[in-house]
Amino acid sequence: SLFTEPSGPLPEEPKPAEMPLHHCHRDPMPQAGLTPERLQAQRQLCAACAVCCVFMAGEVVGGYLAHSLAIMTDAAHLLADVGSMMGSLFSLWLSTRPATRTMTFGWHRSETLGALASVVSLWMVTGILLYLAFIRLLHSDYHIEGGAMLLTASIAVCANLLMAFVLHQAGPPHSHGSRGAEYAPLEEGPGEPLPLGNTSVRAAFVHVLGDLLQSLGVLAASVLIYFKPQYKAADPISTFLFSICALGSTAPTLRDVLRVLMEGSPRSVGFEPVRDTLLSVPGVRATHELHLWSLTLTYHVASAHLAIDSTADPEAVLAEATSQLHSRFGFSSCALQVEQYQPEMAQCLRCREPPQA
């Protein structure tokens, strides 16, 4: 219904006199190049990629000398890490390109595509290694050098810990609600971005965490094989178990990526709070065609039609509604259309709200 009452108490509204105006001609021009958040992501990815290349070469040599499939599995996962990080660095560079008449939003989504490529690459490599582990368990015609495997596995654990430290991002300082669709307003003031972390770095960090789990499993298997060589089956078993764990670790990143690519509403912003905020603007009688989506996890966009009273000032309504969306929800871009309210809007099928998911 166009006249649905607000679903809950809204945050206290600032006084109109103190309301900052948001308009594309009043806001400063964005600086060229990467934002500080993405520069930090670029530095993290470069450092982690360098560490990954060095230790991957060491694992290839150690795995060959130890005849260990588990070590070679870990090296292959490091290779997938290198490829995904290089893809993420490329997507970060691509996202700095300006918007064009064809790509009107710019290239921000390249970051999300880079994260998706990281997940897919891990799945492909893990599938191959699971197959090789199954063959070893089936035939048991292999020999493991316990000492070389133990040394290499210990180095691999240190390498993954170092990469995880480099890629670690602190959690968001704001509270955006722990109940899913509900929303808690920002406290620091208008225009604060949602600090959920760079998508590419998050994907690489989750990737490395999966490798760390596998490295710990390989280390445990190497200790067992070193002291009990007859239990060499621990090598393919650890590959099998911890590859599955690595696949499971990609679920959060994949969920976020699919939400962005499917034009889903931002995870931290609910439909009802945004609707109620727009209806609370003086002069607004109804709102329809409300759409919320994300270009990335931190770049949120909103658009809506506002039906106003004939006595309301369209410019004032537009300024206040835009300011509310910026200050309360941190939207990076808002496209609002103001139109005169007509009674027949209440029966218009196109003006009805979308159903619950």
Side-chain angles (χ1 to χ4, degrees):
S1 170
L2 289 169
F3 307 99
T4 305
E5 292 296 326
S7 57
L10 293 173
E12 183 179 353
E13 297 181 9
K15 297 180 181 179
E18 300 175 359
M19 184 75 68
L21 295 178
H22 289 272
H23 192 272
C24 60
H25 302 301
R26 298 188 180 98
D27 291 336
M29 285 291 292
Q31 296 181 355
L34 293 172
T35 62
E37 181 259 350
R38 293 193 173 192
L39 281 174
Q40 180 186 0
Q42 187 180 58
R43 289 192 293 266
Q44 288 176 300
L45 289 172
C46 286
C49 192
V51 172
C52 197
C53 287
V54 172
F55 285 99
M56 179 185 66
E59 279 200 313
V60 170
V61 175
Y64 176 79
L65 295 177
H67 309 290
S68 170
L69 177 61
I71 296 294
M72 298 300 287
T73 298
D74 210 37
H77 277 149
L78 289 179
L79 177 61
D81 286 343
V82 171
S84 64
M85 290 178 196
M86 293 181 66
S88 297
L89 287 170
F90 175 74
S91 68
L92 282 174
W93 169 81
L94 190 63
S95 67
T96 63
R97 296 185 60 184
T100 65
R101 296 183 182 182
T102 302
M103 307 295 291
T104 55
F105 272 112
W107 300 79
H108 297 282
R109 283 246 171 109
S110 61
E111 175 189 329
T112 304
L113 294 177
L116 179 61
S118 173
V119 171
V120 171
S121 66
L122 178 59
W123 284 6
M124 293 176 62
V125 172
T126 301
I128 295 172
L129 295 171
L130 285 174
Y131 170 77
L132 295 177
F134 177 77
I135 295 298
R136 278 202 167 186
L137 285 175
L138 188 63
H139 298 290
S140 191
D141 54 350
Y142 58 94
H143 172 71
I144 304 295
E145 293 291 341
M149 182 180 179
L150 179 59
L151 177 62
T152 307
S154 301
I155 296 174
V157 170
C158 295
N160 282 291
L161 284 173
L162 180 58
M163 285 190 293
F165 175 78
V166 170
L167 292 171
H168 175 68
Q169 298 184 107
H174 302 298
S175 173
H176 294 287
S178 58
R179 293 171 288 177
E182 296 188 3
Y183 172 78
L186 300 175
E187 300 295 338
E188 280 75 0
E192 283 291 320
L194 302 179
L196 299 177
N198 181 272
T199 314
S200 300
V201 178
R202 286 186 62 213
F205 179 67
V206 171
H207 205 149
V208 169
L209 285 183
D211 289 350
L212 177 59
L213 287 175
Q214 177 170 321
S215 297
L216 291 172
V218 172
L219 180 60
S222 65
V223 172
L224 178 61
I225 293 173
Y226 181 77
F227 291 103
K228 300 287 185 179
Q230 65 270 25
Y231 294 136
K232 63 180 183 179
D235 180 74
I237 289 175
S238 65
T239 301
F240 186 79
L241 293 178
F242 289 95
S243 291
I244 294 177
C245 292
L247 288 177
S249 68
T250 64
T253 299
L254 183 62
R255 182 188 65 240
D256 289 339
V257 166
L258 292 179
R259 192 183 187 97
V260 170
L261 294 180
M262 292 300 294
E263 304 285 358
S265 62
R267 187 175 54 182
S268 58
V269 179
F271 183 91
E272 290 82 3
V274 175
R275 177 204 63 198
D276 294 344
T277 296
L278 293 175
L279 290 174
S280 69
V281 174
V284 176
R285 291 283 302 274
T287 179
H288 56 273
E289 296 290 341
L290 176 58
H291 299 285
L292 314 174
W293 72 97
S294 303
L295 290 182
T296 68
L297 288 180
T298 58
Y299 194 108
H300 300 166
V301 185
S303 67
H305 290 191
L306 305 180
I308 64 173
D309 291 322
S310 58
T311 58
D313 182 1
E315 289 291 337
V317 169
L318 179 61
E320 184 170 352
T322 303
S323 182
Q324 293 271 10
L325 294 182
H326 277 285
S327 61
R328 293 188 176 181
F329 304 101
F331 283 105
S332 302
S333 177
C334 302
L336 302 178
Q337 175 180 321
V338 178
E339 57 191 10
Q340 291 293 327
Y341 173 76
Q342 302 294 334
E344 56 267 22
M345 289 180 177
Q347 283 74 40
C348 178
L349 295 178
R350 295 188 58 183
C351 294
R352 291 182 178 178
E353 292 181 358
Q356 292 285 348

